[in-house]
Amino acid sequence: MTKAKHETLIDRCRESGLRITGQRRVILEVLDAASDHPDVEELHRRVGEIEPGVNIATVYRTMNKLAEHDLIERHMFDDGRLRYEPAPEEHHDHFIDVETGEVIEFMSDEIERLQEEIARQHGFEIVSHKLELYVKRRKTD
Amino acid sequence: MTKAKHETLIDRCRESGLRITGQRRVILEVLDAASDHPDVEELHRRVGEIEPGVNIATVYRTMNKLAEHDLIERHMFDDGRLRYEPAPEEHHDHFIDVETGEVIEFMSDEIERLQEEIARQHGFEIVSHKLELYVKRRKTD
DNA sequence: CTTCTTATTGCAAATGATTTGCACTTGCAA
DNA sequence: TTGCAAGTGCAAATCATTTGCAATAAGAAG
């Protein structure tokens, strides 16, 4: 069952007062279906498979609009390209497999707690954070 | 005494077999003096104060060459520009003050340890990592 | 000190990702 | 169904960074 999503991106767009155009419908569909963290070029490619002719500038503009409304999250990993994922319900961090480029999500309450603690020790409070572990699979083969 | 550096960047360049040109001498001097994490434009500006006429392409090329030889570290914070610092002797992570843009270094053995542990649990080994805490000062005023 | 080789530089043009101006289209509230 | 702001396509602009090429200069060898 790929459709265990509580609320679809289209619904959330409506709630935010964004117009649902033909091209947006496709973009949102692609985003909802994506379990990875595609960049704009990849999104545009996937959109084009469903409905050709959508301009890549439209994809850029749509992603910016969605990010403004906190409906998606933007990431910039070390490849220097902006990547996106539908706004997660739970915060998480990322492994990036340096050999395959694959992005895997993870979450550690303990690390989160330590971050808060260290920030506090330095007189800061955390606004947001980014933890990326660039990894490779442990050799077992 | 600002010169408590164990080894100057110029020395390390010589050891790496890089030629010490006039423009490099200035760039390295600026880098050694920098306690922040300047981007190329800022470096170029500081170099220009000491010796005008150094081309920004030279700064880019020099930074790339230094990074190749692990004499500096490159960072890309959320502003999307490449920033540099002389290669630190000890690994550290960064606070970024979202109000001032200031970058502060910190280090936590415990977080480092936890990262290793989590990676291991997922069948990974860490190649490198990036931890950035975007923070603001705790209100005490 | 001169000579030679090759790394380095300056400049301008190229690149690659992303944004924007503008005229045209379309969602959707009234 | 109409009106208009929001959205779109397209091409040109922008911004950071890289690159080709001809000229220069470091530094090793003599």
Side-chain angles (χ1 to χ4, degrees), chain A residues 33-81:
Chain A
S35 59
D36 51 351
H37 298 64
D39 60 20
V40 170
E41 206 169 346
E42 174 63 15
L43 282 168
H44 183 239
R45 207 189 52 65
R46 293 183 196 176
V47 166
E49 279 177 2
I50 300 176
E51 164 135 346
V54 177
N55 196 285
I56 197 167
T58 299
V59 182
Y60 273 109
R61 277 191 279 231
T62 300
M63 299 319 279
N64 287 341
K65 184 105 342 204
L66 294 178
E68 265 172 41
H69 290 262
D70 292 314
L71 304 181
I72 57 174
E73 254 183 28
R74 306 166 59 142
H75 300 289
M76 176 117 94
F77 300 136
D78 275 356
D79 62 359
R81 306 162 73 93

Side-chain angles (χ1 to χ4, degrees), chain A residues 19 21 23-24 53 55 58 61:
Chain A
R19 289 192 183 165
T21 66
Q23 23 291 68
R24 272 194 189 165
N55 196 285
T58 299
R61 277 191 279 231

Side-chain angles (χ1 to χ4, degrees), chain B residues 92-111:
Chain B
H92 59 249
D93 295 307
H94 298 93
F95 291 117
I96 296 97
D97 187 319
V98 295
E99 288 168 342
T100 66
E102 194 185 358
V103 177
I104 301 100
E105 303 171 355
F106 74 91
M107 161 68 184
S108 160
D109 287 319
E110 203 164 353
I111 287 186

Side-chain angles (χ1 to χ4, degrees), chain B residues 53-96:
Chain B
V54 176
N55 197 283
I56 197 167
T58 299
V59 182
Y60 274 108
R61 277 191 279 231
T62 300
M63 298 319 279
N64 288 342
K65 186 113 327 213
L66 294 179
E68 265 173 40
H69 290 262
D70 293 314
L71 304 182
I72 57 175
E73 255 184 27
R74 307 167 57 141
H75 300 289
M76 176 118 92
F77 301 136
D78 275 356
D79 62 357
R81 306 163 73 94
L82 289 172
R83 295 159 165 281
Y84 300 90
E85 64 174 321
E89 331 215 321
E90 300 279 347
H91 162 79
H92 59 249
D93 295 307
H94 298 93
F95 291 117
I96 296 97

Side-chain angles (χ1 to χ4, degrees), chain B residues 25-46:
Chain B
R25 196 184 308 279
V26 180
I27 294 171
L28 296 172
E29 184 184 323
V30 166
L31 268 174
D32 261 330
S35 59
D36 52 349
H37 297 63
D39 59 21
V40 170
E41 207 169 345
E42 174 62 15
L43 283 169
H44 182 239
R45 206 189 54 64
R46 294 183 196 175

